[in-house]
Short mmCIF file of all heavy atoms in Angstrom, two decimals:
data_model
loop_
_atom_site.label_atom_id
_atom_site.label_comp_id
_atom_site.label_asym_id
_atom_site.label_seq_id
_atom_site.Cartn_x
_atom_site.Cartn_y
_atom_site.Cartn_z
N LYS O 263 -9.03 6.31 -15.63
CA LYS O 263 -8.34 7.57 -15.93
C LYS O 263 -6.90 7.51 -15.47
O LYS O 263 -6.59 6.90 -14.45
CB LYS O 263 -8.99 8.73 -15.17
CG LYS O 263 -10.12 9.39 -15.88
CD LYS O 263 -10.48 10.73 -15.26
CE LYS O 263 -10.58 10.73 -13.76
NZ LYS O 263 -11.62 11.61 -13.23
N LEU O 264 -6.03 8.15 -16.22
CA LEU O 264 -4.66 8.36 -15.77
C LEU O 264 -4.53 9.84 -15.46
O LEU O 264 -4.83 10.70 -16.30
CB LEU O 264 -3.67 7.94 -16.86
CG LEU O 264 -2.18 8.13 -16.58
CD1 LEU O 264 -1.38 7.13 -17.41
CD2 LEU O 264 -1.70 9.55 -16.89
N ARG O 265 -4.12 10.16 -14.23
CA ARG O 265 -3.89 11.54 -13.84
C ARG O 265 -2.40 11.74 -13.65
O ARG O 265 -1.74 10.89 -13.05
CB ARG O 265 -4.67 11.87 -12.55
CG ARG O 265 -6.18 11.87 -12.78
CD ARG O 265 -6.94 12.22 -11.52
NE ARG O 265 -6.85 11.15 -10.53
CZ ARG O 265 -7.12 11.32 -9.24
NH1 ARG O 265 -7.46 12.51 -8.76
NH2 ARG O 265 -7.04 10.29 -8.41
N PHE O 266 -1.89 12.83 -14.17
CA PHE O 266 -0.45 13.05 -14.21
C PHE O 266 -0.14 14.44 -13.66
O PHE O 266 -0.51 15.45 -14.26
CB PHE O 266 0.03 12.92 -15.67
CG PHE O 266 1.51 13.11 -15.89
CD1 PHE O 266 2.43 13.09 -14.83
CD2 PHE O 266 2.00 13.30 -17.18
CE1 PHE O 266 3.79 13.25 -15.06
CE2 PHE O 266 3.37 13.46 -17.41
CZ PHE O 266 4.26 13.45 -16.34
N TRP O 267 0.47 14.47 -12.49
CA TRP O 267 0.95 15.72 -11.93
C TRP O 267 2.44 15.83 -12.25
O TRP O 267 3.24 15.00 -11.81
CB TRP O 267 0.78 15.74 -10.41
CG TRP O 267 -0.64 15.80 -9.95
CD1 TRP O 267 -1.34 16.92 -9.61
CD2 TRP O 267 -1.55 14.70 -9.74
NE1 TRP O 267 -2.63 16.58 -9.22
CE2 TRP O 267 -2.77 15.23 -9.29
CE3 TRP O 267 -1.44 13.31 -9.91
CZ2 TRP O 267 -3.88 14.43 -8.98
CZ3 TRP O 267 -2.53 12.51 -9.63
CH2 TRP O 267 -3.74 13.08 -9.16
N LYS O 268 2.77 16.86 -13.01
CA LYS O 268 4.14 17.00 -13.51
C LYS O 268 4.77 18.21 -12.82
O LYS O 268 4.32 19.34 -12.99
CB LYS O 268 4.07 17.23 -15.02
CG LYS O 268 5.36 17.01 -15.74
CD LYS O 268 5.15 17.09 -17.24
CE LYS O 268 6.47 16.87 -17.95
NZ LYS O 268 6.29 16.85 -19.40
N LEU O 269 5.81 17.98 -12.07
CA LEU O 269 6.45 19.07 -11.32
C LEU O 269 7.11 20.07 -12.26
O LEU O 269 7.72 19.68 -13.26
CB LEU O 269 7.50 18.50 -10.36
CG LEU O 269 6.93 17.78 -9.13
CD1 LEU O 269 7.99 16.89 -8.48
CD2 LEU O 269 6.41 18.79 -8.10
N LYS O 270 6.98 21.34 -11.90
CA LYS O 270 7.64 22.37 -12.71
C LYS O 270 9.16 22.31 -12.53
O LYS O 270 9.92 22.68 -13.41
CB LYS O 270 7.12 23.76 -12.33
CG LYS O 270 5.68 23.99 -12.77
CD LYS O 270 5.24 25.41 -12.52
CE LYS O 270 3.76 25.63 -12.81
NZ LYS O 270 3.42 25.57 -14.23
N GLU O 271 9.58 21.81 -11.37
CA GLU O 271 11.01 21.65 -11.11
C GLU O 271 11.22 20.26 -10.51
O GLU O 271 10.41 19.83 -9.68
CB GLU O 271 11.47 22.72 -10.10
CG GLU O 271 12.93 22.61 -9.70
CD GLU O 271 13.32 23.62 -8.60
OE1 GLU O 271 12.79 23.50 -7.48
OE2 GLU O 271 14.15 24.47 -8.88
N ASP O 272 12.28 19.57 -10.89
CA ASP O 272 12.58 18.26 -10.32
C ASP O 272 12.64 18.37 -8.79
O ASP O 272 13.30 19.27 -8.26
CB ASP O 272 13.91 17.74 -10.88
CG ASP O 272 14.18 16.29 -10.52
OD1 ASP O 272 14.29 15.97 -9.31
OD2 ASP O 272 14.28 15.47 -11.45
N GLU O 273 11.98 17.47 -8.10
CA GLU O 273 11.88 17.55 -6.64
C GLU O 273 13.26 17.52 -5.98
O GLU O 273 13.46 18.15 -4.92
CB GLU O 273 11.00 16.41 -6.12
CG GLU O 273 10.80 16.38 -4.62
CD GLU O 273 11.96 15.75 -3.88
OE1 GLU O 273 12.47 14.71 -4.33
OE2 GLU O 273 12.38 16.32 -2.85
N ARG O 274 14.21 16.85 -6.57
CA ARG O 274 15.56 16.78 -6.00
C ARG O 274 16.22 18.17 -5.98
O ARG O 274 17.02 18.46 -5.10
CB ARG O 274 16.44 15.78 -6.76
CG ARG O 274 15.92 14.32 -6.83
CD ARG O 274 16.08 13.59 -5.52
NE ARG O 274 15.29 14.12 -4.45
CZ ARG O 274 15.61 14.05 -3.16
NH1 ARG O 274 16.73 13.49 -2.78
NH2 ARG O 274 14.82 14.54 -2.24
N MET O 275 15.88 18.98 -6.98
CA MET O 275 16.39 20.36 -7.00
C MET O 275 15.71 21.17 -5.91
O MET O 275 16.36 21.88 -5.14
CB MET O 275 16.09 21.02 -8.36
CG MET O 275 16.70 20.35 -9.57
SD MET O 275 18.49 20.54 -9.59
CE MET O 275 18.60 22.31 -9.98
N THR O 276 14.40 21.05 -5.83
CA THR O 276 13.64 21.79 -4.82
C THR O 276 14.16 21.46 -3.43
O THR O 276 14.38 22.34 -2.60
CB THR O 276 12.14 21.40 -4.90
OG1 THR O 276 11.71 21.52 -6.25
CG2 THR O 276 11.30 22.28 -4.00
N CYS O 277 14.35 20.17 -3.18
CA CYS O 277 14.73 19.73 -1.84
C CYS O 277 16.01 20.41 -1.39
O CYS O 277 16.11 20.85 -0.25
CB CYS O 277 14.92 18.22 -1.85
SG CYS O 277 15.35 17.57 -0.22
N PHE O 278 16.98 20.52 -2.29
CA PHE O 278 18.30 21.01 -1.86
C PHE O 278 18.55 22.49 -2.15
O PHE O 278 19.48 23.07 -1.62
CB PHE O 278 19.40 20.13 -2.45
CG PHE O 278 19.41 18.76 -1.83
CD1 PHE O 278 18.81 17.67 -2.48
CD2 PHE O 278 19.94 18.57 -0.56
CE1 PHE O 278 18.78 16.43 -1.88
CE2 PHE O 278 19.91 17.32 0.04
CZ PHE O 278 19.33 16.25 -0.62
N ASN O 279 17.71 23.09 -2.98
CA ASN O 279 17.92 24.51 -3.29
C ASN O 279 16.96 25.46 -2.59
O ASN O 279 17.26 26.64 -2.42
CB ASN O 279 17.80 24.74 -4.80
CG ASN O 279 18.92 24.04 -5.55
OD1 ASN O 279 19.95 23.71 -4.96
ND2 ASN O 279 18.72 23.80 -6.83
N CYS O 280 15.81 24.93 -2.20
CA CYS O 280 14.78 25.80 -1.62
C CYS O 280 15.18 26.24 -0.21
O CYS O 280 15.69 25.44 0.57
CB CYS O 280 13.46 25.04 -1.59
SG CYS O 280 12.11 26.03 -0.97
N LYS O 281 14.96 27.52 0.10
CA LYS O 281 15.31 28.02 1.43
C LYS O 281 14.16 27.87 2.42
O LYS O 281 14.33 28.12 3.61
CB LYS O 281 15.71 29.52 1.34
CG LYS O 281 16.90 29.78 0.44
CD LYS O 281 18.17 29.16 1.01
CE LYS O 281 19.35 29.33 0.07
NZ LYS O 281 20.12 28.09 -0.06
N ASP O 282 12.98 27.54 1.91
CA ASP O 282 11.84 27.30 2.80
C ASP O 282 11.84 25.85 3.26
O ASP O 282 12.21 24.95 2.51
CB ASP O 282 10.52 27.58 2.07
CG ASP O 282 10.39 29.06 1.71
OD1 ASP O 282 10.51 29.88 2.63
OD2 ASP O 282 10.20 29.36 0.52
N GLY O 283 11.41 25.65 4.49
CA GLY O 283 11.34 24.28 5.00
C GLY O 283 10.08 23.56 4.54
O GLY O 283 10.08 22.35 4.32
N PHE O 284 8.99 24.32 4.40
CA PHE O 284 7.69 23.76 4.06
C PHE O 284 7.23 24.35 2.74
O PHE O 284 6.92 25.55 2.69
CB PHE O 284 6.66 24.12 5.13
CG PHE O 284 7.05 23.65 6.50
CD1 PHE O 284 7.91 24.40 7.30
CD2 PHE O 284 6.58 22.44 6.98
CE1 PHE O 284 8.27 23.96 8.55
CE2 PHE O 284 6.95 21.99 8.24
CZ PHE O 284 7.81 22.75 9.04
#
Side-chain angles (χ1 to χ4, degrees):
Chain O
K263 271 195 314 216
L264 178 154
R265 292 181 290 162
F266 181 14
W267 291 265
K268 196 173 180 176
L269 287 162
K270 290 186 186 290
E271 177 185 65
D272 190 298
E273 181 279 316
R274 302 285 66 208
M275 300 290 289
T276 310
C277 182
F278 291 99
N279 294 340
C280 183
K281 300 294 176 225
D282 294 306
F284 302 84

